[in-house]
Amino acid sequence: MREPGPDEPGSTHSAARPALDPGLFGPASVTWQVHGDPVMWIAGVRALYLQALHPRAVRGVMINSTFLDDAWGRLMRTADFVGTITYGTTEAAERAGARVRGIHRKLGVDDPELLLWVHCAEIDSYLGIARRSGLRMSDAEADRYVAEHRESARLVGLDPAEVPTSTGELAAYFETMRPGLEAGEDARTVDAFLRRPPVPPALVPARGLLWRRVASLAYASLPPYAHALYGRSAPAPRRVDLRLTATGNILRSIPSRLRWQLPPGHILKAVARLGPGSRPAPYKLDRRAAILDGPGRAQQSDGGDSTRWRTPG
């Protein structure tokens, strides 16, 4: 009688093998697919613009951090944190969360109201930019994404029970916060910095060619009330959607094997840990959304490396 192979039911080898750790979210989550999309860099800058409109939140940043002296370092540390909690092991994510909570306590910026504002601005930006850039996602998947981030809220020191768990709750939260928002001196300092960050002389051309477009698109994607507060107009939302979709198509045309080489390589490490089937790719959401969208609407894709997406709407 043939003995079961190592990966077959009944194999003693399989029983002895430790279970693979998918981390806090795992490949089946919406977060796993969304955070692998290159438009997240635009979303991160949008989140900074939005966060700066909360007077106490931005004051804490300006007083207690090195944002203006080391903005690039801060952006990279934020990207590292998001990458770690999304694609790292459970232990790595918990360790990253403990480190962030410790920094918040040390700097005195662990007020739940401020943490909630920062959290919601990030989640709204990540989700909004992803969808507006053409990533096909059903409303149910969007709600699921918001709910999944009770985990990231917990890691930074929030009570998950006090965090929005759907797009509706997220929108209601922003409505309650709008009366207290303003573009004061600190917010305008952040705005000026994001529009023209200091760079070494050799990178000045790149700042004009690339960064200015990223910052402009991030600002344009803010809600109208934010434009009114900052006092700078923006194109109509439909035009912004077209620009976001075009930008997303260009960025997604860069093969993932190149994009994911950027340090510290969270996605590559996750795929090596969990296997090739765990590769994040927007088409995995698109496939489910197309079922809900009716026949003939599914988008063509090549496995997530150079997918072109429909214009939202």
Side-chain angles (χ1 to χ4, degrees):
M1 180 176 178
R2 187 179 71 86
E3 181 180 344
D7 294 319
E8 295 177 15
S11 167
T12 56
H13 300 285
S14 144
R17 186 182 302 157
L20 297 176
D21 179 9
L24 295 182
F25 296 97
S29 68
V30 177
T31 296
W32 190 275
Q33 316 309 331
V34 171
H35 286 185
D37 196 277
V39 297
M40 289 298 101
W41 288 101
I42 300 172
V45 178
R46 180 192 187 272
L48 291 176
Y49 270 119
L50 193 55
Q51 289 165 354
L53 292 176
H54 190 299
R56 287 203 301 125
V58 71
R59 181 87 295 245
V61 169
M62 301 299 283
I63 292 176
N64 295 309
S65 81
T66 58
F67 176 73
L68 295 183
D69 298 326
D70 185 28
W72 299 113
R74 175 179 171 138
L75 287 171
M76 290 306 298
R77 287 190 293 273
T78 299
D80 183 35
F81 176 74
V82 173
T84 298
I85 67 172
T86 303
Y87 300 109
T89 63
T90 302
E91 179 184 359
E94 295 291 351
R95 192 165 56 243
R99 184 166 58 249
V100 167
R101 293 193 302 275
I103 293 172
H104 287 166
R105 286 192 296 270
K106 180 179 178 180
L107 297 179
V109 291
D110 55 351
D111 182 334
E113 179 187 338
L114 306 186
L115 294 178
L116 183 59
W117 171 254
V118 171
H119 170 82
C120 289
E122 289 178 351
I123 298 309
D124 182 74
S125 295
Y126 298 159
L127 180 61
I129 291 294
R131 299 188 86 182
R132 293 179 69 183
S133 68
L135 195 154
R136 290 285 294 272
M137 188 187 307
S138 69
D139 290 343
E141 286 170 329
D143 284 340
R144 182 176 161 197
Y145 175 83
V146 177
E148 286 173 356
H149 281 277
R150 287 175 292 184
E151 278 294 287
S152 61
R154 175 184 63 80
L155 286 178
V156 299
L158 285 164
D159 178 355
E162 303 298 322
V163 176
T165 59
S166 68
T167 54
E169 290 182 6
L170 190 61
Y173 168 78
F174 282 109
E175 282 299 313
T176 65
M177 296 299 294
R178 280 181 59 177
L181 302 181
E182 63 178 67
E185 181 180 349
D186 289 331
R188 295 186 185 281
T189 298
V190 171
D191 178 25
F193 181 88
L194 290 175
R195 294 167 69 185
R196 194 179 176 84
V199 295
L203 295 180
V204 169
R207 180 182 64 186
L209 180 65
L210 300 175
W211 178 260
R212 186 171 60 185
R213 287 170 169 77
V214 169
S216 172
L217 193 50
Y219 177 84
S221 68
L222 290 167
Y225 69 80
H227 299 145
L229 290 172
Y230 276 114
R232 290 195 290 119
S233 61
R238 177 65 176 174
R239 285 185 57 196
V240 177
D241 289 348
L242 292 172
R243 288 173 57 191
L244 282 168
T245 301
T247 302
N249 286 337
I250 292 171
L251 293 175
R252 294 173 189 127
S253 70
I254 303 171
S256 60
R257 62 182 177 274
L258 297 180
R259 288 190 273 112
W260 296 344
Q261 293 292 337
L262 291 173
H266 294 293
I267 296 177
L268 291 176
K269 294 174 184 176
V271 173
R273 183 174 83 248
L274 300 174
S278 65
R279 292 176 72 253
Y283 77 88
K284 294 181 179 180
L285 293 175
D286 180 53
R287 187 161 49 203
R288 285 179 287 183
I291 294 173
L292 302 176
D293 207 24
R297 295 288 299 280
Q299 303 298 298
Q300 296 181 343
S301 74
D302 68 353
D305 289 346
S306 60
T307 306
R308 298 191 67 84
W309 304 94
R310 71 176 179 92
T311 300

